[in-house]
Amino acid sequence: MKIPDGWRQLLPTARVIVAALLAMILAIYACFQAASQAYLHAQKSREVRQIQHTAMLSGWQQWLSLRDTAKKSMQSLDKTMPFSPVSFQRAGTRLLSWLPSAKGGEMVLEIAWQQVPSTFEMLAERDMQVVGFALVAENNVLRLTLQLVADDEH
């Protein structure tokens, strides 16, 4: 590389000033490049943290949803009514007999046809499973015989 002729004609002080200005321009450019790289690195880090934050927030939301579902499930279990054959004696239904056994028993009801579905609902609310039943019409009256066991899943 050839040094321009005009450079040699400049005074030594002017040469030093020009060299210093060039050095400052190069330093400013280097600082700008370093700052630009640091900014890009910080931006990438911010994006990674945002992705991690979103993933963690999603995980917490799933956990809270599961916790709420479990809490509702436990509340519904707490609302389970205790089983008593006497509670089945109501309008349109009369308890004829109850023969208890170790895990349940046999219940016989004299029942109106409209009361049959609600009887099964009441049993489910009281955690009783029907393992067998018979519905027989005798003397213009329905007789419902139920073989019951306690639901031990809970």
Side-chain angles (χ1 to χ4, degrees):
M1 185 163 125
K2 186 177 175 188
I3 296 176
D5 291 334
W7 178 256
R8 290 188 186 122
Q9 292 174 357
L10 287 175
L11 296 173
T13 328
R15 287 183 197 168
V16 170
I17 291 173
V18 170
L21 286 174
L22 281 173
M24 284 175 40
I25 290 172
L26 286 174
I28 290 171
Y29 178 74
C31 288
F32 173 76
Q33 285 296 324
S36 174
Q37 291 298 318
Y39 175 78
L40 291 175
H41 179 71
Q43 186 67 22
K44 285 181 184 176
S45 295
R46 194 174 304 119
E47 289 171 2
V48 167
R49 280 194 312 273
Q50 183 65 32
I51 290 169
Q52 290 172 341
H53 175 75
T54 303
M56 190 175 8
L57 184 61
S58 174
W60 276 107
Q61 288 172 337
Q62 288 176 348
W63 182 82
L64 289 172
S65 174
L66 287 173
R67 186 192 70 171
D68 290 344
T69 302
K71 186 184 281 187
K72 287 177 186 174
S73 176
M74 291 303 290
Q75 287 172 348
S76 70
L77 289 177
D78 291 342
K79 291 180 183 175
T80 302
M81 297 179 188
F83 174 76
S84 171
V86 177
S87 65
F88 289 85
Q89 190 147 304
R90 59 195 199 281
T93 305
R94 186 168 68 113
L95 178 65
L96 296 179
S97 69
W98 167 245
L99 299 170
S101 68
K103 291 189 176 187
E106 180 182 271
M107 183 167 58
V108 181
L109 301 171
E110 189 175 276
I111 191 166
W113 177 250
Q114 297 84 357
Q115 296 295 332
V116 173
S118 64
T119 300
F120 284 92
E121 287 176 29
M122 288 176 65
L123 288 166
E125 289 171 352
R126 287 158 176 79
D127 282 340
M128 294 300 284
Q129 289 185 11
V130 178
V131 293
F133 73 94
L135 187 59
V136 179
E138 290 180 359
N139 302 328
N140 294 332
V141 176
L142 288 176
R143 182 174 292 214
L144 178 61
T145 304
L146 298 158
Q147 301 296 321
L148 305 172
V149 293
D151 187 7
D152 293 331
E153 290 180 359
H154 303 297

